[in-house]
Coordinates of all heavy atoms in Angstrom, one line a residue:
E1 N 50.7 -65.0 11.3 CA 49.3 -64.5 11.3 C 48.2 -65.6 11.2 O 47.2 -65.5 11.9 CB 49.1 -63.5 10.2 CG 49.9 -62.2 10.4 CD 50.0 -61.3 9.1 OE1 49.4 -61.6 8.1 OE2 50.8 -60.3 9.2
R2 N 48.5 -66.6 10.4 CA 47.5 -67.7 10.3 C 47.4 -68.4 11.7 O 46.3 -68.8 12.1 CB 48.0 -68.7 9.3 CG 47.7 -68.2 7.8 CD 47.8 -69.3 6.8 NE 49.1 -70.1 6.8 CZ 50.1 -69.7 6.1 NH1 50.1 -68.7 5.3 NH2 51.2 -70.5 6.2
I3 N 48.5 -68.6 12.4 CA 48.5 -69.2 13.7 C 47.7 -68.3 14.7 O 46.9 -68.8 15.4 CB 49.9 -69.5 14.2 CG1 50.5 -70.6 13.4 CG2 50.0 -69.8 15.7 CD1 52.0 -70.9 13.6
D4 N 48.0 -67.0 14.6 CA 47.3 -66.1 15.5 C 45.8 -66.2 15.3 O 45.0 -66.2 16.3 CB 47.7 -64.7 15.3 CG 49.2 -64.4 15.8 OD1 49.7 -65.3 16.6 OD2 49.8 -63.4 15.4
R5 N 45.3 -66.2 14.0 CA 43.9 -66.4 13.7 C 43.3 -67.7 14.2 O 42.3 -67.8 14.8 CB 43.6 -66.2 12.2 CG 43.7 -64.8 11.7 CD 43.2 -64.7 10.3 NE 43.8 -65.5 9.3 CZ 44.9 -65.2 8.7 NH1 45.5 -64.0 8.9 NH2 45.4 -66.0 7.8
A6 N 44.1 -68.8 14.1 CA 43.6 -70.1 14.5 C 43.5 -70.2 16.0 O 42.7 -70.9 16.6 CB 44.6 -71.2 14.0
L7 N 44.3 -69.4 16.8 CA 44.3 -69.4 18.2 C 43.3 -68.4 18.8 O 43.1 -68.4 20.0 CB 45.7 -69.1 18.8 CG 46.8 -70.2 18.5 CD1 48.1 -69.7 19.0 CD2 46.4 -71.5 19.1
D8 N 42.8 -67.6 17.9 CA 41.8 -66.5 18.4 C 40.5 -67.2 18.8 O 39.8 -67.8 18.0 CB 41.6 -65.5 17.3 CG 40.6 -64.4 17.7 OD1 40.1 -64.4 18.8 OD2 40.4 -63.5 16.8
P9 N 40.1 -67.1 20.1 CA 38.9 -67.8 20.5 C 37.6 -67.2 19.9 O 36.6 -67.9 19.8 CB 38.9 -67.5 22.0 CG 39.8 -66.4 22.3 CD 40.8 -66.4 21.2
D10 N 37.7 -66.0 19.4 CA 36.5 -65.3 18.7 C 36.4 -65.8 17.3 O 35.4 -65.4 16.6 CB 36.6 -63.8 18.8 CG 36.6 -63.3 20.3 OD1 35.9 -64.0 21.1 OD2 37.2 -62.3 20.6
A11 N 37.4 -66.5 16.7 CA 37.4 -66.9 15.3 C 36.4 -68.0 15.0 O 36.1 -68.3 13.9 CB 38.8 -67.2 14.8
G12 N 36.0 -68.7 16.1 CA 35.0 -69.8 15.9 C 35.6 -71.0 15.2 O 34.9 -71.6 14.4
S13 N 36.8 -71.5 15.6 CA 37.3 -72.7 15.0 C 36.5 -73.9 15.4 O 36.0 -74.0 16.5 CB 38.8 -72.9 15.5 OG 39.3 -74.1 15.1
E14 N 36.3 -74.8 14.4 CA 35.4 -76.0 14.7 C 36.2 -77.2 15.1 O 35.6 -78.3 15.2 CB 34.7 -76.3 13.4 CG 33.7 -75.2 13.0 CD 32.9 -75.5 11.8 OE1 32.7 -76.7 11.5 OE2 32.4 -74.6 11.2
G15 N 37.4 -77.1 15.4 CA 38.2 -78.2 15.8 C 39.7 -77.9 15.8 O 40.1 -76.8 15.5
P16 N 40.5 -79.0 15.9 CA 41.9 -78.8 15.8 C 42.4 -78.3 14.5 O 41.8 -78.6 13.4 CB 42.5 -80.2 16.0 CG 41.4 -81.0 16.7 CD 40.1 -80.4 16.2
V17 N 43.4 -77.4 14.5 CA 43.9 -76.8 13.3 C 45.4 -77.1 13.3 O 46.1 -76.9 14.3 CB 43.7 -75.3 13.2 CG1 44.4 -74.7 12.0 CG2 42.3 -74.9 13.3
V18 N 45.9 -77.7 12.2 CA 47.3 -78.1 12.1 C 48.0 -77.1 11.1 O 47.5 -77.1 9.9 CB 47.5 -79.5 11.7 CG1 49.0 -79.8 11.5 CG2 46.9 -80.5 12.7
L19 N 48.9 -76.4 11.5 CA 49.6 -75.4 10.7 C 51.1 -75.6 10.8 O 51.6 -76.0 11.8 CB 49.3 -74.0 11.0 CG 47.8 -73.6 10.9 CD1 47.6 -72.2 11.5 CD2 47.5 -73.5 9.4
P20 N 51.9 -75.3 9.7 CA 53.3 -75.5 9.8 C 53.9 -74.4 10.7 O 53.3 -73.3 10.9 CB 53.8 -75.3 8.4 CG 52.7 -74.5 7.7 CD 51.4 -74.9 8.4
S21 N 55.1 -74.6 11.2 CA 55.8 -73.6 12.0 C 56.1 -72.4 11.2 O 56.5 -72.5 10.0 CB 57.1 -74.2 12.6 OG 57.9 -73.2 13.2
P22 N 56.0 -71.2 11.8 CA 56.3 -70.0 11.0 C 57.8 -69.7 11.1 O 58.3 -68.7 10.6 CB 55.5 -68.9 11.8 CG 55.5 -69.4 13.2 CD 55.4 -71.0 13.1
Y23 N 58.6 -70.6 11.7 CA 60.0 -70.4 12.0 C 60.9 -71.3 11.1 O 60.6 -72.4 10.9 CB 60.4 -70.5 13.4 CG 59.5 -69.7 14.3 CD1 58.7 -70.4 15.2 CD2 59.6 -68.4 14.3 CE1 57.8 -69.6 16.1 CE2 58.8 -67.6 15.2 CZ 57.9 -68.2 16.0 OH 57.1 -67.5 16.8
R24 N 62.0 -70.7 10.6 CA 63.0 -71.5 9.8 C 64.3 -71.3 10.6 O 64.8 -70.1 10.7 CB 63.1 -71.0 8.4 CG 64.1 -71.7 7.6 CD 64.0 -71.4 6.1 NE 64.0 -70.0 5.8 CZ 65.0 -69.2 5.7 NH1 66.2 -69.7 5.7 NH2 64.9 -67.9 5.4
W25 N 64.8 -72.4 11.1 CA 66.0 -72.3 11.9 C 67.2 -72.7 11.1 O 67.2 -73.8 10.4 CB 65.9 -73.3 13.1 CG 64.9 -73.0 14.1 CD1 63.5 -73.1 13.9 CD2 65.1 -72.6 15.4 NE1 62.9 -72.7 15.1 CE2 63.8 -72.5 16.0 CE3 66.2 -72.4 16.2 CZ2 63.6 -72.1 17.4 CZ3 66.0 -72.0 17.5 CH2 64.8 -71.9 18.1
E26 N 68.3 -71.9 11.1 CA 69.5 -72.2 10.4 C 70.7 -72.2 11.4 O 71.0 -71.2 12.0 CB 69.8 -71.1 9.3 CG 68.8 -71.0 8.2 CD 69.2 -69.8 7.3 OE1 70.4 -69.4 7.2 OE2 68.2 -69.3 6.7
A27 N 71.3 -73.4 11.5 CA 72.4 -73.5 12.4 C 73.6 -72.7 11.9 O 73.9 -72.6 10.8 CB 72.9 -75.0 12.5
V28 N 74.2 -72.0 12.9 CA 75.4 -71.2 12.6 C 76.6 -72.1 12.7 O 76.9 -72.6 13.8 CB 75.5 -69.9 13.5 CG1 76.8 -69.2 13.2 CG2 74.3 -69.0 13.4
P29 N 77.3 -72.4 11.6 CA 78.4 -73.4 11.6 C 79.4 -73.0 12.7 O 79.9 -71.9 12.7 CB 79.0 -73.4 10.2 CG 77.8 -72.9 9.4 CD 77.1 -71.9 10.2
G30 N 79.8 -74.0 13.5 CA 80.8 -73.8 14.5 C 80.5 -72.9 15.7 O 81.3 -72.7 16.6
A31 N 79.2 -72.4 15.7 CA 78.8 -71.5 16.8 C 78.0 -72.4 17.9 O 76.8 -72.4 17.8 CB 78.0 -70.4 16.3
Y32 N 78.7 -73.0 18.8 CA 78.0 -73.8 19.8 C 78.9 -73.7 21.1 O 80.1 -73.4 21.0 CB 77.8 -75.2 19.4 CG 79.0 -76.1 19.1 CD1 79.6 -76.8 20.2 CD2 79.6 -76.1 17.9 CE1 80.7 -77.5 20.0 CE2 80.7 -76.9 17.7 CZ 81.3 -77.6 18.7 OH 82.4 -78.3 18.5
T33 N 78.3 -74.0 22.2 CA 79.0 -74.1 23.4 C 78.7 -75.5 24.1 O 77.7 -76.1 23.8 CB 78.6 -73.0 24.4 OG1 77.2 -73.1 24.7 CG2 79.0 -71.6 23.9
L34 N 79.6 -75.9 24.9 CA 79.5 -77.1 25.7 C 79.4 -76.8 27.2 O 80.2 -76.0 27.7 CB 80.7 -78.1 25.5 CG 80.9 -78.5 24.0 CD1 82.2 -79.3 23.9 CD2 79.7 -79.3 23.5
E35 N 78.4 -77.3 27.8 CA 78.1 -77.1 29.3 C 78.2 -78.4 30.0 O 77.4 -79.3 29.8 CB 76.8 -76.4 29.4 CG 76.4 -76.1 30.9 CD 75.0 -75.6 31.0 OE1 74.5 -75.0 30.1 OE2 74.4 -75.8 32.1
A36 N 79.2 -78.5 30.9 CA 79.3 -79.7 31.7 C 78.0 -79.9 32.5 O 77.4 -79.0 33.1 CB 80.5 -79.6 32.6
A37 N 77.6 -81.2 32.6 CA 76.4 -81.5 33.4 C 76.6 -82.9 34.1 O 77.4 -83.7 33.7 CB 75.2 -81.6 32.5

């Protein structure tokens, strides 16, 4: 929600806003695939 408010053009931000990511990523052990390239 803080990010949404910061990106709202009507909110009148006075410059760049730095906020932490709202996401927390947890790797699932052993759950990966390999794709030849």
Side-chain angles (χ1 to χ4, degrees):
E1 290 166 7
R2 286 193 305 269
I3 290 173
D4 290 344
R5 284 193 303 274
L7 294 175
D8 182 357
D10 297 328
S13 174
E14 294 184 24
V17 176
V18 179
L19 295 170
S21 172
Y23 306 113
R24 182 171 45 91
W25 294 69
E26 295 176 25
V28 177
Y32 66 90
T33 58
L34 301 176
E35 177 186 334

